[in-house]
Amino acid sequence: MKREHDSGSSSTQRKALRHTNLSAKASIPRDGPPFAEGTFRNVYKGTYTEGPQLGEACVGKRFKTGGVFEDRFFAEDVVAVSRAKQIIRAFNQAGMINKTIYMNEATVWAYEQPDAAGRNEKLLVEARALPCCRSLL
């Protein structure tokens, strides 16, 4: 699978976030049970296969049903990430606690190999955070 495009973050913004995709390829299986799930997505473990995060863990979030092939279904996620970064940055600048809050910044990726119908499924990919090591949103 490979990165389609990023969420529009500048390099300065990326440096402010600890868990940002820096690599362009990963291996995330299509088959098998998810290791976690939310209301709308299943979450699958993966590993970056190229780039600065080679060998590091990542996760892929796939819609349980519906549009997993078109960018428009991911637009709300990209907007939400952008807004969350603004809120976190303001919270950190306010100095309300003596810790810094970080977030995982997902980007839209697509499987390189098409499915049986010839389409390249899209999903959100993010670095897999270690909860013992950082405060994360």
Side-chain angles (χ1 to χ4, degrees):
M1 86 171 334
K2 65 180 178 178
R3 170 185 269 189
E4 288 248 305
H5 52 76
D6 63 30
S7 61
S9 300
S10 69
S11 61
T12 304
Q13 289 172 321
R14 285 189 192 112
K15 290 176 187 172
L17 301 170
R18 291 288 175 110
H19 295 287
T20 304
N21 285 318
L22 301 174
S23 292
K25 286 194 176 184
S27 174
I28 300 173
R30 283 185 175 165
D31 301 323
F35 88 95
E37 67 177 275
T39 304
F40 301 107
R41 292 184 189 84
N42 288 320
V43 183
Y44 298 85
K45 293 180 184 181
T47 305
Y48 290 110
T49 58
E50 283 186 18
Q53 292 171 289
L54 175 67
E56 290 183 23
C58 64
V59 295
K61 298 177 179 181
R62 292 170 43 198
F63 279 105
K64 290 181 177 181
T65 60
V68 292
F69 304 99
E70 298 179 36
D71 286 333
R72 64 188 175 98
F73 292 100
F74 296 92
E76 290 180 18
D77 289 284
V78 173
V79 170
V81 165
S82 178
R83 181 65 180 130
K85 287 191 300 186
Q86 294 171 356
I87 293 167
I88 291 168
R89 195 170 289 112
F91 184 84
N92 287 338
Q93 289 173 349
M96 299 171 80
I97 60 174
N98 64 355
K99 295 189 187 275
T100 301
I101 304 298
Y102 299 97
M103 68 174 283
N104 283 353
E105 184 177 1
T107 49
V108 179
W109 289 38
Y111 283 101
E112 292 183 280
Q113 297 299 319
D115 66 6
R119 300 176 296 179
N120 296 81
E121 180 180 11
K122 298 178 187 299
L123 64 161
L124 294 172
V125 174
E126 62 188 47
R128 193 163 155 228
L130 300 174
C132 64
C133 303
R134 293 188 174 82
S135 299
L136 299 172
L137 180 68

